[in-house]
Amino acid sequence: MYRGRLAPSPTGFLHMGHARTFWTAQCRARNAGGALVLRNEDLDAQRFRLEFTDAMLEDLRWFGFHWQEGPDCGGPFGPYAQSQRRHLYQAALEKLRAGGWVYPCRCSRQDVLRALQAPHAGEEGPVYPGTCRPKPGAKFDPRPSKPPNWRFRVPDGETICFVDGCFGRQQFQAGRDFGDFVVWRHDDAPSYQLSVVVDDAAMKITEVVRGADLLLSTARQILLYRALGLEPPAFYHCPLVTDKSGARLAKRHDALSLRNLRAAGVTPETLRQSWPL
Ligand SMILES: [Zn+2]
């Protein structure tokens, strides 16, 4: 049975860019006669604010979203807020450590930038140059005084392929398109890559629908699925919504927040009809 998900982060008000991607997710779940899960991605303690969670649920309902499992209605794979699922991410980190998939890294972002001759920034910053990557068989330097980032060691040169439901065949080369990436941060929080893989697997999501800005993240996540012995779901990445000048809507939070549009008297039907499908 098809299981899709909406996974908003309550770090601001929902805007049109989110709504459009989520609408695609809902349509695909409905067309498949499947279930839709709402997951609150509230791990980012610095940016997360409780008022945004309430607003998020209200805005989603106003727009016409319906989910069968979620933080408000429960379900068999709860809890549906990431802040309550830390033990699962911790267990996954232990598994990655035990399998030798990760190593501790104490480089700052600045260190990584400095170590590169010609930095080219990706969505997670520059490709990590491997400064702390241990030689095969080497023991980690424990230095317990300062907690490290834990980085996933990518298989250099391997091509990661997947067929995207929207964009078709995708391929990225580990070590060139992306480097060793952080799965656990020095401030003791799981990374987006780790938490999302753990949750999508645990919630038995069969298809992940999200924005095309995450295509490269999907390559990283496929490596995490493999390391954790989990089956990856199908992926459907939506083209990013841009305005007439080509700027991403996600950058224009306030003007196009569902809150403001609603206050201005715009209806969800009008918003949906404005999308070229
Ligand atoms: Zn390092």
Side-chain angles (χ1 to χ4, degrees):
M1 179 173 139
Y2 184 103
R3 287 176 59 81
R5 56 28 164 221
L6 311 175
S9 239
T11 52
F13 293 122
L14 288 175
H15 60 80
M16 279 289 286
H18 298 124
R20 185 156 171 194
T21 301
F22 291 164
W23 196 254
T24 303
Q26 175 160 297
C27 288
R28 291 185 67 79
R30 277 196 181 160
N31 292 344
L36 194 61
V37 174
L38 176 66
R39 184 169 73 225
N40 183 7
E41 303 214 325
D42 58 351
L43 272 179
D44 196 340
Q46 275 119 48
R47 293 168 64 212
F48 160 71
R49 281 158 61 187
L50 201 61
E51 67 192 81
F52 287 135
T53 297
D54 295 335
M56 182 177 84
L57 293 172
E58 191 183 303
D59 291 349
L60 288 170
R61 286 192 198 107
W62 170 75
F63 198 85
F65 289 104
H66 299 279
W67 49 93
Q68 288 73 52
E69 300 168 29
D72 54 334
C73 55
F77 301 99
Y80 293 91
Q82 288 194 321
S83 58
Q84 294 164 32
R85 301 175 63 81
R86 238 186 101 85
H87 57 289
L88 296 172
Y89 314 135
Q90 193 86 50
L93 175 65
E94 292 310 326
K95 199 167 172 182
L96 292 173
R97 263 193 212 138
W101 296 96
V102 295
Y103 61 87
C105 166
R106 289 176 173 83
C107 300
S108 68
R109 215 175 157 78
Q110 282 307 314
D111 292 337
V112 175
L113 285 169
R114 264 197 298 273
L116 286 164
Q117 292 292 321
H120 59 105
E123 81 217 40
E124 284 208 341
V127 173
Y128 179 67
T131 316
C132 298
R133 188 194 265 212
K135 301 275 180 296
K139 288 270 177 283
F140 299 138
D141 172 1
R143 277 189 290 175
S145 55
K146 187 184 164 200
N149 289 310
W150 286 87
R151 275 188 199 273
F152 185 89
R153 181 202 292 256
V154 303
D156 286 338
E158 185 180 326
T159 302
I160 316 301
C161 296
F162 61 96
V163 177
D164 183 73
C166 181
F167 288 92
R169 188 182 157 83
Q170 301 293 308
Q171 57 177 54
F172 297 99
Q173 192 182 312
R176 184 194 68 190
D177 296 322
F178 61 98
D180 295 352
F181 55 93
V182 173
V183 295
W184 202 277
R185 301 191 324 221
H186 62 86
D187 58 355
D188 201 26
S191 73
Y192 166 77
Q193 310 293 355
L194 184 66
S195 59
V196 95
V197 163
V198 167
D199 286 344
D200 284 334
M203 294 178 179
K204 304 209 184 298
I205 301 302
T206 61
E207 183 180 73
V208 169
V209 178
R210 59 188 175 198
D213 52 329
L214 290 167
L215 276 166
L216 183 54
S217 272
T218 296
R220 296 186 181 100
Q221 289 172 22
I222 284 171
L223 291 175
L224 282 178
Y225 279 103
R226 184 164 82 190
L228 291 167
L230 301 167
E231 190 65 35
F235 294 96
Y236 186 102
H237 290 82
C238 303
L240 295 179
V241 189
T242 55
D243 64 13
K244 289 189 188 78
S245 69
R248 276 184 62 190
L249 289 194
K251 307 289 178 203
R252 298 173 49 206
H253 233 92
D254 294 338
L256 290 165
S257 73
L258 298 187
R259 294 250 117 176
N260 287 348
L261 293 166
R262 178 184 175 182
V266 182
T267 68
E269 291 74 23
T270 311
L271 293 173
R272 291 200 293 271
Q273 278 157 15
S274 70
W275 297 338
L277 288 171

